[in-house]
Amino acid sequence: MDKVSGKLTVYFEVPFWVGVFERVRDGKLSVAKVTFGTEPKDYEVQEYIQKCYFSLKFSPAVDTVVKDIKRNPKRMQREAKRQMQETGIGTKSQQALKLQQEQNKQEHKARRREKKEAEELRMFKLKQQKKREKHKGH
């Protein structure tokens, strides 16, 4: 049976509030970053998760260590409080986000190159057509 776990960290990254969704599936961590803008209320975050979670673009998976331990509820509460005091996101998450950023950059570069080549081909054909029309007239 596959085990999937998730975590959402919301923090302030000047000038916006940012949410980082971490998903661990089959020992692989993937991350999605969302910019909220103004500080989101709890109900707004809940609503966002319900409406938009499945349309999030998660980063390529990165290997991670999954700990399967039972925890005391009070300990989990203290840990959540401690995490609230900390700012930022984990290094594994940062690696996954960086990987996603690089992937998006490569895709954008490829699309831009294709568009440029298509435009050059269109201009070439247009020039050829004008030359043919010019020579037909003589």
Side-chain angles (χ1 to χ4, degrees), residues 66-95:
V66 181
K67 297 175 187 170
D68 189 28
I69 54 174
K70 303 284 186 244
R71 287 205 182 114
N72 182 321
K74 285 188 177 182
R75 180 178 297 229
M76 286 182 1
Q77 201 172 24
R78 284 194 300 268
E79 191 174 307
K81 188 176 181 181
R82 182 180 49 81
Q83 286 179 358
M84 293 286 286
Q85 302 301 323
E86 294 176 5
T87 58
I89 54 177
T91 54
K92 287 277 186 189
S93 299
Q94 287 173 335
Q95 288 174 352

Side-chain angles (χ1 to χ4, degrees), residues 14 34 65 71 90 96 106:
V14 179
V34 176
V65 177
R71 287 205 182 114
Q106 295 298 327

Side-chain angles (χ1 to χ4, degrees), residues 80-131:
K81 188 176 181 181
R82 182 180 49 81
Q83 286 179 358
M84 293 286 286
Q85 302 301 323
E86 294 176 5
T87 58
I89 54 177
T91 54
K92 287 277 186 189
S93 299
Q94 287 173 335
Q95 288 174 352
L97 281 173
K98 196 68 170 169
L99 196 60
Q100 183 181 29
Q101 191 178 28
E102 284 297 317
Q103 189 178 26
N104 289 346
K105 197 160 109 177
Q106 295 298 327
E107 289 172 5
H108 180 70
K109 220 176 192 180
R111 279 196 307 267
R112 196 171 57 226
R113 185 174 50 244
E114 287 173 14
K115 194 174 180 181
K116 183 180 175 187
E117 289 171 357
E119 181 64 20
E120 286 174 354
L121 182 64
R122 188 184 72 80
M123 293 301 288
F124 177 75
K125 287 182 177 180
L126 193 63
K127 285 181 185 178
Q128 293 294 318
Q129 186 180 359
K130 283 184 179 181
K131 279 184 184 178

Side-chain angles (χ1 to χ4, degrees), residues 8-109:
L8 169 63
T9 306
V10 178
Y11 62 96
F12 186 70
E13 188 176 272
V14 179
F16 302 112
W17 283 86
V18 176
V20 176
F21 289 89
E22 297 177 21
R23 177 179 66 190
V24 178
R25 180 187 293 162
D26 301 328
K28 304 269 187 186
L29 172 76
S30 48
V31 181
K33 187 175 181 181
V34 176
T35 304
F36 288 113
T38 60
E39 182 175 6
K41 305 272 188 267
D42 289 344
Y43 68 88
E44 292 173 329
V45 172
Q46 184 73 29
E47 201 173 280
Y48 185 86
I49 292 169
Q50 289 172 345
K51 288 183 179 176
C52 304
Y53 181 79
F54 293 103
S55 63
L56 289 174
K57 287 186 89 177
F58 279 90
S59 70
V62 174
D63 286 328
T64 189
V65 177
V66 181
K67 297 175 187 170
D68 189 28
I69 54 174
K70 303 284 186 244
R71 287 205 182 114
N72 182 321
K74 285 188 177 182
R75 180 178 297 229
M76 286 182 1
Q77 201 172 24
R78 284 194 300 268
E79 191 174 307
K81 188 176 181 181
R82 182 180 49 81
Q83 286 179 358
M84 293 286 286
Q85 302 301 323
E86 294 176 5
T87 58
I89 54 177
T91 54
K92 287 277 186 189
S93 299
Q94 287 173 335
Q95 288 174 352
L97 281 173
K98 196 68 170 169
L99 196 60
Q100 183 181 29
Q101 191 178 28
E102 284 297 317
Q103 189 178 26
N104 289 346
K105 197 160 109 177
Q106 295 298 327
E107 289 172 5
H108 180 70
K109 220 176 192 180

